[in-house]
């Protein structure tokens, strides 16, 4: 087997012939026509998947899958915009001196770059995953509040547009960095309309996020399918639940802080004005009480992505399911208690308390890394695109985590704070891990969304270009920071190899841009290709693979019994007690006679040969 | 609903413990207030889940041996399309943007939100 031509029929299956495993497509085909010949139905997504077909339809849709797709496309557009702004930064820094943009414009560019990437790309892509996957993974027809979901999406879109329109405002876009410290972000230092528009944009996107979080929590609490207990939910859904709680905790604090900032700017309030009883440190506390959980709000959905992918491509159950849930909860809890490690250099915080909690968070994170490796250990691994990108995620995340431990140490942080070391650290943690896991998610769930697979060959090109480009761009920034180059400067002295490291980083950016090309080609090719994939093309585990690809309107015509955290695996192995879950076979027997839909599988249980269609042969 | 109640009660308890600890070790009042208010969010959801469970008993989704046949009937009514979300979002955007651009925009936004909230009533059965 090779990465480019995986042959699953060659997998060792404990002596079991692959043809003896139950195919979801056969069950769905039997269910569609209500007959027992296993050949009926639209096995390749010929049904109406319920996605809008007109512009009006997309503008008014409340369907969770349509909105999930809309979130994903919108956030990828913002990724392209944020990436283009990064290109301006790297072009300016490729050489000492001012080449392309003025200092003021440079400030605006890096502010909007950071804001777009954090507020408009990384978090909303997590919402895309939540929108599309949560109902499918728990067996629900939609999110609990479909209109609220659409409302959240449009608030996000309008917020994003307002932020970008700031460039057209008198005085230019906001230019005080994505964490907007007063007094720099106050009316005195940043008087322009662009700054106000930035604040409005973040309030809107923050509100959007809060509403989405409420929706996800309500859905997971109230709309799980029978048998889908909390501890049978996929880790992905667990991660999105914890993420949603963190959003609920953090985003309103940010929105409140921004309203206070706007009141200071527009109406002469004094919340952050130290000359009149206010305090800029108040802003820093409020911002980072949002800002540090934000790191995990960005990361946790992508932790969920790779936790879904590793077991599938290692043909192993996830290692330590409950440990992973506990680690997720612990990360969620601790991440809200570490905020002031971003404020060590203010000298106004309890250094020991926050150094301790910051170091502690490495423990549950380490548990996750251990469990991911454990899930692969001893498995029959194949390196299809989702697995490649997931391993890329693991590498960049561990690298970013290690430098995070360095920054959690106050002694080192005093030296490294506000240097390019910090830039390198968070681009590894929030950039590389998100990008790699994002593409892992796209390659993994693309067949579910479209009924087609993306090109493995192009994915391999993209993976290696991304891996080389990402590390070339960001690795050497550690050296820049260590040697004292401050972040957010458009110019630097040609000393201590600053010129060399910056030039390498700018060259790496070009490779990063090149890595997008194979992906775009793969997408275009996929759109032109026919639907070929069935319900479960990866032979995966969780419930979304039990419905057709793409799923029908309101998701499920049929549900398998749910007796573990991997109901589709249990279904596939239902005829083999030594591997499958015997409780599932019992549930099938209980179903027999209730409805015609269950006949195909019941026939298999009675010992008839499995009905496998030709198209499903490996 | 018992697992959900315990989960959110645990969240609330954590924030009580960490908030009090932070206060005792000399943490500044902003952080203490934020952490203790986080207790309320966890407690709010825990309280709601507990009350729901008390009134409705054990659900099929909380039982290990439940199957789809245990809960038959309409799962819920889900709209597939509505004009209200986008128009409400336009209204809310106008209200907030009006803070920067002028009260005329805020007033327009309030009008949009109010009208769309009324029209939302007609969406109820779609």
């Amino acid at each position: 087997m090779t990465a480019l031509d995986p042959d699953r029929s060659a997998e060792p299956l404990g002596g079991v012939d692959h043809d003896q495993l139950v195919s979801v497509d056969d069950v769905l085909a039997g269910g569609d026509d209500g007959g027992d010949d296993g050949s009926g139905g639209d096995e390749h997504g010929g049904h109406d998947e319920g996605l809008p077909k007109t512009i009006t339809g997309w503008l008014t849709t409340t369907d969770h899958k349509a909105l999930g797709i809309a979130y994903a496309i919108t956030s990828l557009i913002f990724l392209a915009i944020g990436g283009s702004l990064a290109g301006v930064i790297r072009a300016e820094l490729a050489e000492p001196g001012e080449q392309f943009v003025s200092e003021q414009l440079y400030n605006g560019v890096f502010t909007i770059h950071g804001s777009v990437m954090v507020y408009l790309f990384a978090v909303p892509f997590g919402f895309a995953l939540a929108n599309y996957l949560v109902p499918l993974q728990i067996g629900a027809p939609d999110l609990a509040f479909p209109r609220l979901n659409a409302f959240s999406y449009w608030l996000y879109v309008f917020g994003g547009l307002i932020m970008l329109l700031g460039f057209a405002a008198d005085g230019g876009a906001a230019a005080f960095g994505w964490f907007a410290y007063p007094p720099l972000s106050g009316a005195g230092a940043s008087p322009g309309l662009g700054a106000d528009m930035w604040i409005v944009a973040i309030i809107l996107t923050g509100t959007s996020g809060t509403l989405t979080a409420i929706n996800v929590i309500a859905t997971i609490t109230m709309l799980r399918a029978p048998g889908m207990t909390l501890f049978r939910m996929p880790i992905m859904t667990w991660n999105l639940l914890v993420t949603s709680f963190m959003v609920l905790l953090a985003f309103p604090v940010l929105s409140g802080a921004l309203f206070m900032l706007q009141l200071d700017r527009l109406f002469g309030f004094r919340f952050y004005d130290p000359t009149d009883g206010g305090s800029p440190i108040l802003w820093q506390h409020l911002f980072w009480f949002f800002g540090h959980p934000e790191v995990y709000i960005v990361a946790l959905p992508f932790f969920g992505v790779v936790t879904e992918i590793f077991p599938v491509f290692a043909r192993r159950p996830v290692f330590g399911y409950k440990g992973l849930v506990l680690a997720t909860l612990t990360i969620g809890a601790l991440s809200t208690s570490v905020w002031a490690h971003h404020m060590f250099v203010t000298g106004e915080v309890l250094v020991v308390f926050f150094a301790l909690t910051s170091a502690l968070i490495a423990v549950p994170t380490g548990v996750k890394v251990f469990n991911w490796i454990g899930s692969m250990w001893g498995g029959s691994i194949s390196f299809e695109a989702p697995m490649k990108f997931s391993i890329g995620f693991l590498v960049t995340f561990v690298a970013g985590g290690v430098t995070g431990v360095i920054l959690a140490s106050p002694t080192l942080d005093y030296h490294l704070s506000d240097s390019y070391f910090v830039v390198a650290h968070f681009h590894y943690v929030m950039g590389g891990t998100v990008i790699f896991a994002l593409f892992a998610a796209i390659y993994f769930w693309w067949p579910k969304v479209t009924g087609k697979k993306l090109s493995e060959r192009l994915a391999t090109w993209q993976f290696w270009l991304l891996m080389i480009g990402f590390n070339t761009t960001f690795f050497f920034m550690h050296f820049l920071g260590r040697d004292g180059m401050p972040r957010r400067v458009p110019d630097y002295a040609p000393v201590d190899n600053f010129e060399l490291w910056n030039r390498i980083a700018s060259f790496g950016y070009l490779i990063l841009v090149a890595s997008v090309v194979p992906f775009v080609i793969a997408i275009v090719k996929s759109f032109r290709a026919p639907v070929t994939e069935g319900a479960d093309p990866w032979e995966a585990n969780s419930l979304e693979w039990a419905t057709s690809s793409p799923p029908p309107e309101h998701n499920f015509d049929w549900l398998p019994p749910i007796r573990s955290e991997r109901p589709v695996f249990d279904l596939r192995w239902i005829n083999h007690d030594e591997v499958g879950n015997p409780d599932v076979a019992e549930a099938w027997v209980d179903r027999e006679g209730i409805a015609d839909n269950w006949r195909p599988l019941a026939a298999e249980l009675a010992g008839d040969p499995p009905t496998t269609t030709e198209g499903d042969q490996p | 609903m018992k697992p959900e109640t315990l989960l959110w009660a645990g969240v609330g308890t954590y924030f009580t413990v960490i908030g009090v600890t932070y206060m005792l070790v000399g943490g500044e009042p902003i952080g203490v207030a934020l952490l203790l208010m986080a207790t309320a969010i966890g407690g709010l959801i825990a309280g709601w889940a507990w009350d729901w469970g008390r009134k409705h008993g054990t659900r099929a989704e909380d039982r290990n041996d439940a199957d789809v046949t245990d809960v038959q009937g309409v799962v819920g009514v889900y709209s597939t399309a509505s004009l209200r979300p986008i128009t409400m979002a336009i209204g809310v955007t106008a209200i907030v943007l009006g803070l920067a651009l002028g009260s005329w925009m805020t007033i327009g936004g309030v009008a949009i939100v109010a009208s769309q909230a009324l029209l939302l009533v007609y969406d109820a059965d779609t």
Side-chain angles (χ1 to χ4, degrees):
Chain A
M1 187 193 312
T2 68
L4 294 181
D5 184 22
D7 178 8
R8 281 168 179 262
S9 64
E11 292 298 327
L13 294 170
V16 175
D17 185 348
H18 189 275
D19 291 347
Q20 295 292 315
L21 303 182
V22 170
S23 155
V24 175
D25 290 317
D26 290 340
V27 180
L28 291 177
D32 276 356
D33 67 358
D36 57 2
D37 61 359
S39 61
D42 301 313
E43 64 190 69
H44 289 316
H47 55 74
D48 180 8
E49 65 268 30
L51 293 180
K53 294 178 175 55
T54 62
I55 291 174
T56 309
W58 279 100
L59 291 175
T60 58
T61 185
T62 54
D63 178 79
H64 78 97
K65 294 188 292 294
L67 287 165
I69 292 167
Y71 261 111
I73 292 171
T74 312
S75 61
L76 287 175
I77 290 171
F78 282 122
L79 169 66
I81 294 169
S84 303
L85 293 171
V88 176
I89 296 171
R90 287 317 323 163
E92 182 58 49
L93 293 176
E95 289 182 11
E98 284 190 14
Q99 282 87 38
F100 299 104
V101 291
S102 66
E103 285 184 9
Q104 178 65 19
L105 182 56
Y106 184 86
N107 291 344
V109 166
F110 75 68
T111 298
I112 302 301
H113 162 73
S115 304
V116 165
M117 290 305 205
V118 172
Y119 299 115
L120 304 181
F121 156 61
V123 174
F125 197 87
F127 293 154
L129 295 171
N131 258 277
Y132 200 93
L133 292 175
V134 162
L136 284 166
Q137 291 200 326
I138 63 171
D142 204 318
L143 283 175
F145 311 118
R147 292 184 196 83
L148 186 71
N149 193 24
F151 176 64
S152 306
Y153 169 74
W154 288 111
L155 278 187
Y156 154 58
V157 171
F158 295 143
L161 289 175
I162 288 172
M163 184 190 291
L164 294 178
L165 282 173
F167 276 114
D170 192 20
F176 37 60
W178 74 277
F179 39 77
Y181 281 176
L184 181 60
S185 58
S190 302
L193 181 61
D196 292 324
M197 292 172 75
W198 183 90
I199 292 169
V200 167
I202 307 298
I203 289 173
L204 289 172
T205 53
T207 307
S208 158
T210 307
L211 297 175
T212 301
I214 291 168
N215 218 339
V216 170
I217 291 173
T219 305
I220 293 173
T221 306
M222 299 305 293
L223 287 181
R224 301 195 308 273
M228 179 62 79
T229 60
L230 274 185
F231 282 93
R232 285 177 183 166
M233 294 196 309
I235 295 291
M236 177 81 199
T237 299
W238 263 109
N239 280 29
L240 290 167
L241 177 65
V242 175
T243 303
S244 298
F245 178 75
M246 290 160 68
V247 168
L248 211 52
L249 204 66
F251 278 31
V253 174
L254 176 69
S255 295
L258 285 164
F259 262 117
M260 289 156 65
L261 181 61
Q262 194 71 310
L263 290 172
D264 274 14
R265 290 174 55 86
L266 298 176
F267 303 110
F269 281 60
R270 295 285 186 274
F271 287 114
Y272 307 121
D273 182 357
T275 62
D276 204 9
S279 167
I281 299 296
L282 168 64
W283 167 269
Q284 292 197 28
H285 276 295
L286 294 175
F287 181 83
W288 287 115
F289 192 81
F290 148 82
H292 197 79
E294 165 77 357
V295 175
Y296 289 93
I297 288 166
V298 167
L300 278 183
F302 296 100
F303 290 1
V305 167
V306 298
T307 313
E308 294 297 304
I309 289 173
F310 284 136
V312 172
F313 294 94
R315 283 85 179 167
R316 294 251 298 141
V318 67
F319 179 80
Y321 173 90
K322 287 189 175 171
L324 275 167
V325 172
L326 189 62
T328 307
L329 290 167
T330 310
I331 287 173
L334 280 175
S335 73
T336 55
S337 318
V338 300
W339 75 90
H341 71 217
H342 294 270
M343 301 164 58
F344 281 156
V345 289
T346 64
E348 297 282 321
V349 296
L350 280 176
V351 169
V352 175
F353 180 87
F354 288 105
L356 184 66
T357 51
S358 302
L360 268 180
I361 209 164
V363 176
T365 312
V367 167
K368 277 187 176 279
V369 173
F370 182 78
N371 284 20
W372 289 328
I373 294 170
S375 298
M376 292 187 276
W377 194 267
S380 179
I381 300 176
S382 61
F383 293 95
E384 287 99 327
M387 189 63 161
K388 277 197 279 276
F389 283 97
S390 296
I391 290 173
F393 156 89
L394 198 53
V395 171
T396 47
F397 178 67
V398 170
V402 167
T403 53
V405 175
I406 291 172
L407 288 169
S409 160
T411 321
L412 293 169
D413 185 76
Y414 289 139
H415 172 67
L416 297 167
S417 189
D418 276 336
S419 76
Y420 258 82
F421 190 90
V422 175
V423 177
H425 161 69
F426 74 67
H427 276 90
Y428 267 84
V429 174
M430 292 180 74
T433 57
V434 167
I435 292 288
F436 277 100
L438 173 147
F439 283 115
I442 290 176
Y443 280 99
F444 187 56
W445 279 292
W446 187 265
K448 178 52 60 186
V449 177
T450 65
K452 310 164 190 181
K453 275 186 182 171
L454 291 167
S455 163
E456 281 289 334
R457 189 174 298 276
L458 288 166
T460 303
W461 274 101
Q462 185 198 356
F463 171 76
W464 285 111
L465 284 170
L466 183 61
M467 180 59 86
I468 294 166
F470 180 83
N471 285 291
T472 309
T473 307
F474 295 109
F475 181 76
F476 298 100
M477 289 183 188
H478 293 106
F479 300 153
L480 277 171
R482 179 201 63 189
D483 292 346
M485 177 160 168
R487 64 195 291 195
R488 298 176 172 169
V489 290
D491 191 12
Y492 53 89
V495 295
D496 296 329
N497 285 327
F498 280 9
E499 204 172 356
L500 175 64
W501 301 137
N502 272 302
R503 197 165 288 173
I504 291 173
S506 296
F507 177 69
Y509 172 81
L510 295 177
I511 304 175
L512 266 181
V513 173
S515 75
V516 179
V517 176
F519 177 69
V520 173
I521 297 171
I523 295 288
V524 172
K525 281 180 69 174
S526 171
F527 279 133
R528 301 170 78 174
V531 173
T532 53
E533 301 302 328
D536 183 24
W538 302 116
E539 300 194 342
N541 299 321
S542 46
L543 211 50
E544 73 269 30
W545 306 103
T547 188
S548 53
S549 305
E553 190 172 2
H554 292 157
N555 298 342
F556 294 96
D557 299 327
W558 169 91
L559 277 171
I562 301 159
R563 289 292 176 273
S564 75
E565 71 272 17
R566 27 183 209 161
V568 173
F569 175 89
D570 292 340
L571 172 65
R572 196 177 310 122
W573 286 86
I574 194 168
N575 296 328
H576 300 277
D577 284 351
E578 70 281 9
V579 178
N581 187 337
D583 292 347
V584 178
E586 285 177 23
W588 276 111
V589 173
D590 290 342
R591 280 186 179 189
E592 193 176 9
I594 291 174
D596 285 346
N597 287 21
W598 319 127
R599 262 190 231 157
L601 207 63
E604 284 182 30
L605 281 171
D608 291 351
T611 52
T612 306
T613 58
E614 198 169 317
D616 294 315
Q617 295 290 352
Chain B
M1 209 54 117
K2 195 173 174 184
E4 286 86 350
T5 308
L6 291 174
L7 175 70
W8 295 115
V11 170
T13 306
Y14 169 78
F15 283 110
T16 306
V17 171
I18 198 80
V20 170
T21 305
Y22 187 56
M23 185 168 63
L24 292 178
V25 298
E28 32 64 51
I30 309 161
V32 172
L34 288 169
L35 289 171
L36 292 180
M37 284 163 71
T39 301
I41 297 182
L44 187 74
I45 307 176
W48 183 87
W50 173 79
D51 186 54
W52 199 98
R54 188 175 59 85
K55 286 176 181 165
H56 298 91
T58 305
R59 305 174 302 167
E61 45 267 55
D62 295 326
R63 277 175 31 218
N64 282 323
D65 61 345
D67 198 1
V68 282
T69 49
D70 292 337
V71 182
Q72 296 195 14
V74 177
V75 176
V77 178
Y78 297 92
S79 69
T80 51
S82 170
L83 189 59
R84 304 309 145 216
I86 186 170
T87 48
M88 292 270 272
I90 290 170
V92 170
T93 302
I95 290 173
V96 184
L97 194 57
L99 291 175
L101 294 184
S103 54
W104 60 271
M105 185 174 263
T106 299
I107 292 167
V110 169
I112 294 172
V113 169
S115 63
Q116 296 309 304
L118 285 172
L119 288 169
L120 194 59
V121 174
Y122 292 101
D123 271 7
D125 57 350
T126 57

